[in-house]
Amino acid sequence: MKALVKYGRQNGDVEIQDIQEPTLGPNQVLMQVKAAGVCGSDLHMWRESHSWEIKLPLVLGHEFCGVVLKVGQNVTGFQPGDRVACETAATVCNQCVYCLSGNYNLCPHRLGYGALADGAFTRLVAARPQILHHIPDNVPFEHAALTEPICVAYNALVEKTLINPGDVVVIQGPGPIGIMALQVARLRGAGTLIMLGTNADKERLAVAAELGAHHTVNIQEQDPVALIKSLGDGFGADLVVDCSGVSKALQQSMELVRPNGAITKIGWGPQPLNYSLDPLVGKAVTLQGTFSHTFPTWERVLRLLSTGQINLKPVIGGVYPLADWENAFHAMESGANVKSVLIMDEKG
Ligand SMILES: [Zn+2]
Ligand SMILES: [Zn+2]
C-alpha cells in the first residue's frame, strides 16, 4: 500500500513509498484510514527541524480517523464498518504508575503514531481498541481527523490550567494548536481573548478573529504589552498560553502575565533560553507544561464537535488526496492554511 514516508535525515527526505500492509493481532483493530490531519510536527519532520526522537523509515501522520475493517478475535466493542477516531499512543507499557493511573500520555514506553511507530498517512493502520473512539454520526471524517489537536488544547486549558470566566487570556501563535486553544479558552469562559502572531501569520490571525479573538496582534507591527496593560485593571493577563514553540515566547509571556497569573506551555522549542526566569519568581507566576491527552478527553472533544461547539470550517484550508501531500504541506508552511487534511485512496 502507498504511504507517506520520512526516509532520511535531510530536509525534504519525505516521499510516497510502497509499504507492507499491517498484520492484525488478536487484540487489535484494523482501520482503513479515511482522513488525516497534517500537523506542524509533520512539517518539522519534513524539514528535518524537529527536536524529538523518531524512528526511520517512518510513516508520518498521527491525527486520523477511519472505518473499522476487521477486528482481532479477542476484541469486543468494535465491528467492521464502525466509524472511529484513533488516539496517538500506539503502544504503552500498561504497567508503569502513569499507565495504571490513567496518565498513559506520560508512560516512558509510549510509542506515538507518526513518530516512534508508523503513522496514518497510508491506507491501513492496526490499533489497540483502548485508543479508539466511535465518531458521532454527524461529524464528518475531515473533522473527526482533527480531534487530536483539539484534545491537545483541551488537555492544556481544561485539565492542566484553571481559567475563570472573565479572565484575560493571551495565546501566542495562531497555528493549528493556537487556534484550537482559542476555541477551548472561549468555551472555558475567557473574558478577553488576545491572539499574538507575526508577519507570517496574517491569514491565521484573520481566522483567529473570525473564531472569537477580541484582539489579534502582529507583534512585528504592534507591541502587545501596551495593549494588554490597557485591558481590565492594567496588571496584565491572567493566563498566557504558549503555542508558538519559540523559546523566546516564554520571555514575552513573563512580561505579559499579571502577578499571581499563569503561563501554560504547549509549544516545544529546542532553543536555549538565554534570559533570566526571575520574573516567574518575582510575580509568583505558575508555569505549567502540558503534553498530549488521554481517553476521557477524546470522548468530550468528540461531543464538542458533534454539538457544533468547536468550529473547524475556517480552520481547514484544504482537503487533499495523499498523492497531493506536497501541496498540502506547502499550504500549511506558508500560513495559507491553518490546517490541511489528507484523504486516503480506497485502493492506494
Ligand atoms: Zn500533532
Ligand atoms: Zn506505562
Side-chain angles (χ1 to χ4, degrees):
M1 61 184 182
K2 300 262 186 282
L4 188 62
V5 177
K6 176 169 170 66
Y7 58 88
R9 291 275 176 202
Q10 302 295 316
N11 177 353
D13 279 355
V14 168
E15 67 183 10
I16 302 263
Q17 292 184 355
D18 263 310
I19 63 162
Q20 285 223 305
E21 295 190 1
T23 50
L24 177 65
N27 299 310
Q28 285 183 314
V29 169
L30 189 65
M31 271 175 79
Q32 182 176 342
V33 181
K34 288 289 187 181
V38 177
C39 179
S41 69
D42 295 316
L43 303 184
H44 282 295
M45 289 184 277
W46 174 44
R47 291 303 189 196
E48 191 57 31
S49 58
H50 55 98
S51 57
W52 53 91
E53 218 188 310
I54 62 165
K55 78 174 192 79
L56 278 183
L58 171 72
V59 179
L60 296 175
H62 59 272
E63 305 174 357
F64 65 108
C65 64
V67 291
V68 173
L69 212 56
K70 283 186 202 158
V71 298
Q73 60 190 45
N74 299 335
V75 172
T76 56
F78 293 94
Q79 287 170 354
D82 285 358
R83 302 167 77 242
V84 289
C86 185
E87 296 181 32
T88 48
T91 59
V92 294
C93 79
N94 278 323
Q95 290 181 9
C96 73
V97 66
Y98 297 101
C99 285
L100 293 174
S101 58
N103 299 299
Y104 56 86
N105 54 326
L106 302 175
C107 171
H109 305 288
R110 174 186 180 276
L111 303 180
Y113 286 114
L116 292 168
D118 278 332
F121 290 156
T122 186
R123 184 163 51 87
L124 301 173
V125 170
R128 54 196 179 96
Q130 291 84 354
I131 56 169
L132 294 181
H133 301 266
H134 287 104
I135 302 171
D137 288 343
N138 67 342
V139 178
F141 286 122
E142 290 83 7
H143 290 186
L146 302 189
T147 308
E148 198 273 339
I150 305 169
C151 287
V152 169
Y154 190 105
N155 172 258
L157 296 186
V158 179
E159 284 151 23
K160 305 294 278 185
T161 307
L162 179 69
I163 298 179
N164 289 307
D167 276 356
V168 173
V169 176
V170 176
I171 297 170
Q172 298 166 304
I177 297 292
I179 293 286
M180 304 308 185
L182 171 76
Q183 300 204 58
V184 173
R186 193 194 63 222
L187 288 170
R188 281 283 257 166
T192 308
L193 283 159
I194 304 104
M195 179 66 84
L196 308 184
T198 62
N199 286 336
D201 295 320
K202 291 226 161 92
E203 286 98 338
R204 291 184 283 226
L205 285 171
V207 171
E210 187 180 342
L211 288 171
H214 301 94
H215 303 272
T216 57
V217 180
N218 176 347
I219 60 170
Q220 287 172 301
E221 286 174 355
Q222 186 191 344
D223 177 15
V225 176
L227 167 70
I228 285 147
K229 295 270 156 86
S230 77
L231 300 170
D233 60 12
F235 280 107
D238 297 283
L239 173 68
V240 183
V241 186
D242 172 15
C243 300
S244 78
V246 180
S247 292
K248 213 162 160 43
L250 180 61
Q251 188 172 28
Q252 183 190 56
S253 20
M254 291 190 298
E255 211 180 333
L256 298 177
V257 72
R258 65 192 286 117
N260 263 344
I263 299 169
T264 291
K265 247 183 101 51
I266 308 179
W268 297 69
Q271 309 96 343
L273 296 183
N274 205 23
Y275 51 81
S276 166
L277 295 179
D278 279 355
L280 279 186
V281 184
K283 291 166 103 172
V285 164
T286 303
L287 176 62
Q288 175 72 55
T290 67
F291 176 67
S292 196
H293 32 67
T294 56
F295 193 94
T297 302
W298 279 69
E299 290 293 314
R300 292 188 179 110
V301 167
L302 283 165
R303 281 200 290 277
L304 289 174
L305 284 173
S306 177
T307 52
Q309 296 184 79
I310 299 267
N311 182 2
L312 293 178
K313 282 218 180 71
V315 177
I316 299 175
V319 177
Y320 306 77
L322 179 64
D324 209 10
W325 68 273
E326 244 177 312
N327 284 330
F329 278 42
H330 278 296
M332 264 179 75
E333 188 177 48
S334 71
N337 293 354
V338 174
K339 201 77 186 168
S340 300
V341 174
L342 298 177
I343 44 172
M344 303 306 145
D345 196 328
E346 304 263 308
K347 298 188 188 73

